[in-house]
């Protein structure tokens, strides 16, 4: 058997699991000290390198550590932005990280044995999106949703007022104009919130 363990700078396993789910990367996520790692079973060295390249694209400027055990061979390397930067002595990597890394790599422990283990197959893309949302973005999303509801209600008021106005009601036209003003203000507010969300 063979196994790949990729150690990432994600401090929370749920954030790494969410990023992997959104990128269609399957595996078991576990905490490793201050880091999080994804474990893939039955992968050869080539597959492990492909997985490390994909995950390193998720971490931006931060590097990830790839460790692949295939038969009696261990391949270890640092990846950054999808590129293999440098080979790493496997012994050195193992000595500088928690013992759980060696246990996982040598299969003397299973991911589910590690407290905080997450199977990415159990996380939906909706759950993953929520996990990757910062508190600031969550607050902006709630505010935007509120203003969208206001805009929909204003649209109903516009339609109602226009129908009444078409029937000869002056009050109907006043209601329609008021509703249109609220609708425009709501849409401007939603646009502003969505723009702020993209910048956070």
């Amino acid at each position: 058997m063979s196994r790949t363990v990729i150690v990432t700078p994600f401090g929370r396993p749920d954030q790494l699991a969410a990023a992997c789910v959104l990128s269609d990367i399957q595996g078991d996520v576990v905490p490793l000290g201050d880091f999080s790692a994804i474990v893939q079973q039955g992968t050869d060295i080539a597959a492990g390198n492909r997985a490390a390249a994909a995950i390193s694209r998720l971490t931006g400027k931060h590097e990830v550590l790839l460790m692949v055990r295939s038969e009696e061979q261990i391949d270890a390397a640092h990846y950054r932005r999808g590129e293999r930067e440098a080979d790493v002595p496997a012994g050195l990597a193992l000595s500088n990280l928690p013992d759980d890394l060696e246990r996982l790599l040598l299969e003397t422990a299973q991911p589910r044995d590690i407290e905080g283990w997450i199977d990415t197959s159990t996380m939906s893309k909706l759950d993953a999106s929520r996990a990757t949302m910062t508190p600031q973005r969550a607050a902006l999303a709630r505010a935007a949703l509120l203003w969208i509801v206001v805009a929909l209600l204003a649209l109903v008021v516009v339609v109602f007022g226009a129908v009444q106005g078409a029937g000869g009601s002056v009050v109907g036209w006043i209601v329609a104009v008021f509703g249109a003003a609220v609708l425009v203000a709501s849409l401007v507010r939603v646009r502003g919130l969505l723009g702020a969300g993209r910048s956070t």
Side-chain angles (χ1 to χ4, degrees), residues 143-165:
L145 181 60
L146 176 62
W147 281 105
I148 289 171
V149 171
V150 171
L152 290 173
L153 292 174
L155 181 60
V156 171
V157 170
V158 169
V159 171
F160 175 79
V163 169
Q164 296 298 314

Side-chain angles (χ1 to χ4, degrees), residues 19 100 123 163:
D100 284 338
M123 180 180 283
V163 169

Side-chain angles (χ1 to χ4, degrees), residues 38-164:
I38 183 165
V39 182
Q40 295 182 321
Q41 187 67 33
T43 48
D44 58 17
I45 289 178
N49 277 272
R50 287 194 297 272
I55 291 173
S56 69
R57 293 187 191 99
L58 304 178
T59 61
K61 64 181 181 180
H62 302 288
E63 65 184 18
V64 303
L65 170 66
L66 163 73
M67 299 201 75
V68 184
R69 184 190 55 76
S70 183
E71 301 300 335
E72 299 302 319
Q73 182 180 0
I74 295 179
D75 182 37
H78 280 144
Y79 270 80
R80 194 193 309 264
R81 300 187 194 276
E83 299 293 332
R84 185 174 178 127
E85 285 198 328
D87 293 341
V88 177
L92 179 62
L94 291 172
S95 66
N96 287 326
L97 287 165
D99 293 340
D100 284 338
L101 174 58
E102 183 173 0
R103 294 172 59 227
L104 288 167
L105 192 65
L106 299 180
E107 298 187 54
T108 59
Q110 298 302 318
R112 62 178 174 271
D113 299 330
I114 309 297
E115 185 177 355
W117 159 68
I118 300 172
D119 179 354
T120 60
S121 67
T122 65
M123 180 180 283
S124 69
K125 288 191 181 289
L126 179 59
D127 291 336
S129 296
R130 289 172 179 159
T132 57
M133 187 174 289
T134 64
Q136 294 85 356
R137 285 188 175 182
L140 287 172
R142 287 192 296 271
L145 181 60
L146 176 62
W147 281 105
I148 289 171
V149 171
V150 171
L152 290 173
L153 292 174
L155 181 60
V156 171
V157 170
V158 169
V159 171
F160 175 79
V163 169
Q164 296 298 314

